[in-house]
Amino acid sequence: MPAATMLSPPPELSIVIPAFNEEQRLPRTLAELERAMGKHPGGVEVIVVDDGSSDATAAVARGFRASFPLRVLANPGNRGKGYSVRHGMLAARGRYLLFTDADLSAPIGELAKLRTALDAGADIAIGSRAEAELIQAHQSRFREAAGRFFNRLVVLTLGLPFRDTQCGFKLFRQEAAARIFPLQRIEGWGFDPELLFLAKLQGWKVQEVPVVWAHAAGAKIRLLRDSGRMFTDLVRIRWYALRGSYRRPAARRSAVA
């Protein structure tokens, strides 16, 4: 990290974007973030985490001339969305830390709803697609049904009360992120329930917030292949808890480019 960045005051907001082969969608997303957040009070930084892309994702991000600090972090190969989010959140410097999908399925304007929840006393605010009237473009019926089924498994397995754990739009106070992410172990798609389970174990207040959301073509998840892995991840989370693994930080294996 450049010395000037290390010496500058921390921004109020860090936005972490996990990205795998996103050269096509990333320019529009970064342009929208600049339009909406370029003059954010207190400052903002954007961190793009390249998850071993085989296209020009990293080059596109580095070449974007933004009005805010923009960093690109490189994973050591293709490690998964959970690894990417953890990598970015542990490197973030903001007072508030948001992670969002590279396609901005939840518009960045919905951030105001999450901030309102934190201002009202929550430590973590999670976007939710549970309100049908806020969904502007739906996934296939099969995908939506599979999502509801997985969420029921989350409730039964981990005891989490949320209607939607998988929405990629979550805001953390820095103190909560600093305690939770070093303990995160799931590196694939099942990382969201793990984060919320850790928040529950540590006593952080989590508020679920309905947000506008629109499905975008090009999603990286493969339903049949990844559903089994996500179920396995739920079992792993329970096993880690029984072993006491969440009482000590996991080894930090992130690499910064």
Side-chain angles (χ1 to χ4, degrees), residues 126-180:
I126 64 171
S128 173
R129 300 162 295 182
E131 299 295 335
E133 63 271 18
L134 295 179
I135 305 302
Q136 297 180 337
H138 285 264
Q139 303 177 81
S140 69
R141 291 184 179 180
F142 182 62
R143 281 182 177 269
E144 290 189 346
R148 290 191 294 270
F149 178 72
F150 179 75
N151 214 72
R152 291 192 187 99
L153 289 179
V154 170
V155 172
L156 291 172
T157 307
L158 304 181
L160 298 176
F162 309 111
R163 299 172 66 192
D164 181 9
T165 60
Q166 300 305 112
C167 182
F169 196 66
K170 294 180 171 65
L171 181 68
F172 293 71
R173 293 187 187 274
Q174 192 279 333
E175 307 86 48
R179 290 282 306 281
I180 290 171

Side-chain angles (χ1 to χ4, degrees), residues 19-21 50-55 74-79:
F20 175 65
N21 289 344
D50 178 24
D51 190 25
S53 298
S54 59
D55 67 1
N75 291 345
N78 179 228
R79 298 298 297 268

Side-chain angles (χ1 to χ4, degrees), residues 3-256:
T5 301
M6 294 180 66
L7 295 175
S8 62
E12 183 189 55
L13 175 67
S14 297
I15 301 175
V16 172
I17 304 173
F20 175 65
N21 289 344
E22 293 288 0
E23 67 175 5
Q24 298 298 321
R25 299 193 294 185
L26 203 53
R28 182 191 66 82
T29 292
L30 294 177
E32 177 60 21
L33 290 178
E34 182 172 39
R35 184 197 66 77
M37 311 301 293
K39 297 182 180 180
H40 184 76
V44 63
E45 67 171 354
V46 173
I47 301 173
V48 176
V49 184
D50 178 24
D51 190 25
S53 298
S54 59
D55 67 1
T57 292
V60 165
R62 290 193 183 99
F64 192 84
R65 297 181 179 273
S67 59
F68 45 69
L70 191 155
R71 287 186 279 157
V72 180
L73 309 183
N75 291 345
N78 179 228
R79 298 298 297 268
K81 185 179 180 182
Y83 185 101
S84 301
V85 170
R86 181 182 65 197
H87 190 173
M89 297 293 269
L90 290 176
R93 304 169 61 240
R95 180 181 175 192
Y96 302 99
L97 282 65
L98 173 77
F99 72 81
T100 186
D101 292 332
D103 58 10
L104 282 184
S105 292
I108 193 61
E110 296 296 276
L111 172 62
K113 296 179 181 177
L114 305 190
R115 262 304 299 270
T116 297
L118 265 58
D119 291 342
D123 302 298
I124 303 165
I126 64 171
S128 173
R129 300 162 295 182
E131 299 295 335
E133 63 271 18
L134 295 179
I135 305 302
Q136 297 180 337
H138 285 264
Q139 303 177 81
S140 69
R141 291 184 179 180
F142 182 62
R143 281 182 177 269
E144 290 189 346
R148 290 191 294 270
F149 178 72
F150 179 75
N151 214 72
R152 291 192 187 99
L153 289 179
V154 170
V155 172
L156 291 172
T157 307
L158 304 181
L160 298 176
F162 309 111
R163 299 172 66 192
D164 181 9
T165 60
Q166 300 305 112
C167 182
F169 196 66
K170 294 180 171 65
L171 181 68
F172 293 71
R173 293 187 187 274
Q174 192 279 333
E175 307 86 48
R179 290 282 306 281
I180 290 171
F181 281 93
L183 294 172
Q184 179 198 335
R185 291 171 173 265
I186 304 297
E187 297 183 351
W189 296 103
F191 79 100
D192 292 273
E194 183 184 34
L195 296 178
L196 298 175
F197 185 71
L198 284 165
K200 176 184 174 182
L201 288 180
Q202 296 179 7
W204 301 105
K205 182 178 179 182
V206 182
Q207 179 70 43
E208 187 171 15
V209 181
V211 295
V212 172
W213 189 84
H215 174 65
K220 301 301 187 297
I221 189 170
R222 297 294 177 263
L223 195 59
L224 295 178
R225 179 195 67 187
D226 294 322
S227 294
R229 295 178 180 177
M230 291 168 71
F231 174 74
T232 301
D233 285 341
L234 295 182
V235 176
R236 290 172 61 198
I237 293 167
R238 264 300 173 195
W239 175 241
Y240 292 148
L242 289 172
R243 289 179 56 194
S245 300
Y246 291 137
R247 299 194 189 103
R248 56 185 182 275
R252 293 183 60 174
R253 293 165 288 181
S254 300
V256 179

